[in-house]
Structure formats: structure tokens, C-alpha cells
Amino acid sequence: LLSRNCNNFSHDAALEGLRLGRGVPQWILEVPQKFLSSPMGMMIRPILEQMQITNTAPTNIGSGRNGVGGDLGMDGSNPFGSGNSSSLVPSATPPAPAVANPWANIPSSLPSSLSKAETAEAPTAPNTAKSTPLLDKQTGPLLSTDAKVVSACVSRLVPDENDKQRDVLFKLAESNHTWEEEELSAVHQQLMSFVESGSGVSFALMLLRLAVLQQPTSGNAVSDKSTGMVVEMLLEEKPQLVSSATTKSMAWCVLSNAVGSKNPPNWFDGLSESTNEKFLRLIDLALNDGNPTSDASSSQTDISLRQSAVAFLYNVSHQLAHREGSKAPQAEENEELSEAVMAILIGCLENLMEEKDVVSLTRRYMCLGQLLKAKRFGKNAIGLVRDLGLFDGVCEHREYYSDLDSLAKEVANLLDM
């Protein structure tokens, strides 16, 4: 993405392939380095270089050649090749290369002060004869925990003379810090004020995504109000959050972390009811932002937005599959599908063939896996997909991405394709 991107390819193709007299203008080739030399670029670069996974959740899949981390698989290994770009060479006309999402990357482990989400084995659908080893390993949520940008964000948000406020925010980068409820509440209050004022919103959201993962040693979770504010601002299209795709990506990252944390905010418990209009609107908005057919779908910022939105959908799917299955363990395994489950299921299948970004595509498959394998409603989810005839595109990416073949086969296997 940074040093060997489409511009470099076009430059080499013009000079070496077509034997033209000149290639891509130098000022275009220098754009990535100029960006990385800017304050925002220097802040984002550490995140780009720390792309890993937590637990066994789906990961970003990159070539490992551009300083963007390695090719870690769903179990921490590398089932998608050796880190060489040849493993992603298409057998037909290639789709656009994957663009890493710097705001929803997943490290291999959480800092000790962060509470990991429960990772009990994902419940399987009634038909245990299905062989889905990759899907079976997806037991954890997608969490963004990189804390290397904390210093840069705090410096942009708080003046040097306000040492007390800066010191509290700097603690978000300390993996061993023990949070008291009053102290953590103050952090949330500070970050909310920045977002509401429209001052340094992206920087405040970068810090808030870490704050929502913190748990006080005593008392209740304190992220309800701050994350609830982000929900309202997204749904109401407040200019602070929708003025740019970058800011909106960060908003989805905050909500994704909140839903995937060990103690999700109370509003998620209330919103997750199938009849709750606000929750369904939030899902529809995430599906819309994850739509690969928009006019700007090939731009870097739009790809990052899709990745963040689909990460949120994955964490919601994970929670719905596990939570609904835990309400009444003795109940029959044919629970009626909620509107939320149906919306995510149909939304992830729609436009599946149009998705050319590997990260977004992988996360879509993992959403499908969570819902189709859910013990309480998986059977009905499979039936819905069959009845609507939405499975035609499940395996269409095989001809482009051989590395996703196994994942596509497992989803197809659940659907008896």
C-alpha cells in the first residue's frame, strides 16, 4: 500500500511492459511518503505496522511486503500463504488489491489491564456432520487495541499546560494501569466533550476505542454514555462524525470495540431486541457503509470505512449468536430469526461478488459463519438463505482469491452447496 501500490505497478508497466518513454509522474509516486511525513501520517503509521489478530477472530490479510505486518491466519498461523504476494495471484482478471484498515487492527493479545471477551466455543448448528475447521476457530471478537498512537492523539487534543488532563489520557497507553471508576469516567467525559465540540474528533475517537475496553476495578462499566452518544450521532448524521469517511470509520471502530468487549454497554442489551427500531437502523447504516458498490468504493478511505463497518457487524453477529443461545439452553434449536439476524445475514450475502477487498470479504464470510452456525437459530438461518436463493455468489471469489477458497467452501458446505 505504501511502497508498492497501483501507482508503482502502473509506473513499472509503462516503462518495462509497454516500453513507453515515461511513467507515472514522480509527484504521484511520492504521495505516500509525503503523507507519512505529515502529523497524521506519523500517527497512523505505527498502526499500519501492527496489523495482527486477537484470539482467533478474522484478520487483515496482507502481502507482508510493505511494512504492514504479516499474513496471520485465523488461528495465529498463516493458512493464506507464506507472506509472498504470489499467494494472492488471481487465476482470472484480478480485483483491486486489499487496503489495510488502520483503525480496526487486531493485536495478538490484549494488554493485561484490558478484560478479554469471553471466548467460549462458538455454538454449532444442529448438523454436526458439517466440516468447518476455520469457522470453528472463530471464537473471539474483533478488537482494536493498538495504543502506540495515544501520545500523538493526546498532544493534538490537550494543550501542554494542562498537565493533569494529559496525564490521565496518557494512561490509556499503559497496559498495567489499574482504573478506578471515577478516573475512567473522567476519561470518557473528556473524550465526549472533544467529540461533541467537533474539535479533533478523529483523535478523540482513536482514544475512545481504547477507553471502551477498560474496566474499573470496582463499580459498573462507564462506557454506556460515551458509546451511546456515538450511536446517536451516527444515526442523526451529526457533522462531527459524518463529515469524512475517516472519522466515520473511527466511530464504527469505537462501537465495534464496545460490542466486542467483555462487558458490552447496557444500550446494546436494550437495542439488541429484535423489535428495536434504533438497533435495526444502526445495522442498516453499517450495512450501507459496508456496501462495496458505492461510487467511491475503490478509494482507500472508503475501503477503510467498509472494513470498520463490517467489523462492527461481525461483533454484533458474534454477540447475537452467543447471547441468544444462552438465554434458554434447554430450548429447541429452531428459534425464530430476529430482524437483526435476518438483516445482517441478507446484507452480508448481497453484493458479495462485488466485494474486491480481501479484508472486508473475509469479515463478511465470518459474519455468515457466526449466524449459520449459531446453535439456537443456525438451522433457520440456513433455511432462509436457501429459500431466498442468496447463496449463488458464496463461492464466486474462488477464481480470484484462491486463499479464500477454504473459507468459501465451509460456508457453502453449511448451505449444502
Side-chain angles (χ1 to χ4, degrees), residues 235-270:
L235 293 179
E236 296 175 10
E237 297 188 345
K238 295 286 186 178
Q240 297 99 313
L241 295 188
V242 300
S243 58
S244 72
T246 299
T247 304
K248 208 171 186 182
S249 296
M250 281 307 310
W252 284 122
C253 187
V254 170
L255 297 185
S256 180
N257 272 10
V259 173
S261 63
K262 182 177 180 180
N263 296 310
N266 290 330
W267 58 258
F268 180 75
D269 288 328

Side-chain angles (χ1 to χ4, degrees), residues 36-336:
L36 291 174
S37 299
S38 68
M40 176 67 78
M42 288 187 288
M43 180 181 68
I44 289 178
R45 185 163 194 162
I47 307 182
L48 288 172
E49 294 174 346
Q50 293 294 323
M51 290 167 45
Q52 295 180 342
I53 61 174
T54 185
N55 300 328
T56 52
T59 180
N60 297 343
I61 305 170
S63 66
R65 299 174 58 190
N66 306 326
V68 193
D71 295 88
L72 294 179
M74 270 67 79
D75 58 351
S77 63
N78 184 1
F80 297 119
S82 60
N84 189 306
S85 60
S86 62
S87 65
L88 288 176
V89 174
S91 57
T93 303
V99 176
N101 177 6
W103 302 290
N105 300 318
I106 306 95
S108 57
S109 61
L110 294 175
S112 59
S113 65
L114 302 182
S115 299
K116 287 189 177 180
E118 296 294 337
T119 55
E121 284 212 15
T124 57
N127 189 347
T128 57
K130 304 297 185 183
S131 177
T132 55
L134 288 178
L135 293 175
D136 291 342
K137 294 177 181 177
Q138 310 315 308
T139 59
L142 279 165
L143 298 176
S144 174
T145 61
D146 188 286
K148 292 184 178 180
V149 298
V150 169
S151 178
C153 290
V154 174
S155 298
R156 295 297 294 268
L157 290 170
V158 185
D160 292 340
E161 59 270 16
N162 197 335
D163 292 336
K164 184 176 181 180
Q165 188 178 28
R166 289 166 63 93
D167 290 343
V168 173
L169 293 177
F170 278 136
K171 292 177 181 178
L172 290 171
E174 299 177 11
S175 60
N176 296 321
H177 182 68
T178 300
W179 292 92
E180 298 296 335
E181 182 177 357
E182 182 179 354
E183 182 182 43
L184 189 55
S185 296
V187 168
H188 280 265
Q189 190 62 44
Q190 289 181 46
L191 298 178
M192 285 172 58
S193 66
F194 289 126
V195 174
E196 290 175 327
S197 67
S199 174
V201 177
S202 293
F203 300 104
L205 292 174
M206 281 189 180
L207 296 179
L208 185 58
R209 72 183 167 88
L210 297 174
V212 299
L213 293 174
Q214 310 290 348
Q215 298 295 327
T217 55
S218 60
N220 301 318
V222 297
S223 65
D224 292 353
K225 189 173 181 180
S226 58
T227 55
M229 176 198 68
V230 175
V231 170
E232 294 294 337
M233 296 180 80
L234 279 172
L235 293 179
E236 296 175 10
E237 297 188 345
K238 295 286 186 178
Q240 297 99 313
L241 295 188
V242 300
S243 58
S244 72
T246 299
T247 304
K248 208 171 186 182
S249 296
M250 281 307 310
W252 284 122
C253 187
V254 170
L255 297 185
S256 180
N257 272 10
V259 173
S261 63
K262 182 177 180 180
N263 296 310
N266 290 330
W267 58 258
F268 180 75
D269 288 328
L271 294 182
S272 59
E273 297 300 326
S274 62
T275 57
N276 190 289
E277 180 184 358
K278 184 181 293 186
F279 184 53
L280 295 176
R281 286 176 56 206
L282 191 64
I283 290 176
D284 286 341
L285 182 59
L287 289 169
N288 183 66
D289 286 344
N291 185 354
T293 62
S294 64
D295 293 337
S297 61
S298 60
S299 69
Q300 178 179 344
T301 53
D302 194 73
I303 291 173
S304 295
L305 176 59
R306 295 210 307 276
Q307 292 174 358
S308 292
V310 180
F312 168 77
L313 292 172
Y314 172 82
N315 282 353
V316 170
S317 299
H318 179 269
Q319 290 284 13
L320 292 177
H322 287 263
R323 284 176 170 233
E324 293 195 27
S326 63
K327 289 180 180 178
Q330 305 302 320
E332 296 182 6
E333 298 173 340
N334 62 350
E335 181 175 280
E336 182 179 350

Side-chain angles (χ1 to χ4, degrees), residues 349-387:
L349 284 166
E350 287 181 339
N351 305 317
L352 192 64
M353 289 186 288
E354 284 74 24
E355 182 57 79
K356 308 304 181 187
D357 173 57
V358 180
V359 176
S360 300
L361 182 59
T362 300
R363 292 177 180 178
R364 280 180 175 240
Y365 277 125
M366 302 320 304
C367 284
L368 294 173
Q370 287 290 321
L371 300 178
L372 296 177
K373 288 180 65 63
K375 184 176 181 181
R376 299 251 315 160
F377 55 78
K379 184 177 180 179
N380 287 334
I382 291 171
L384 176 66
V385 175
R386 290 176 183 167
D387 292 343

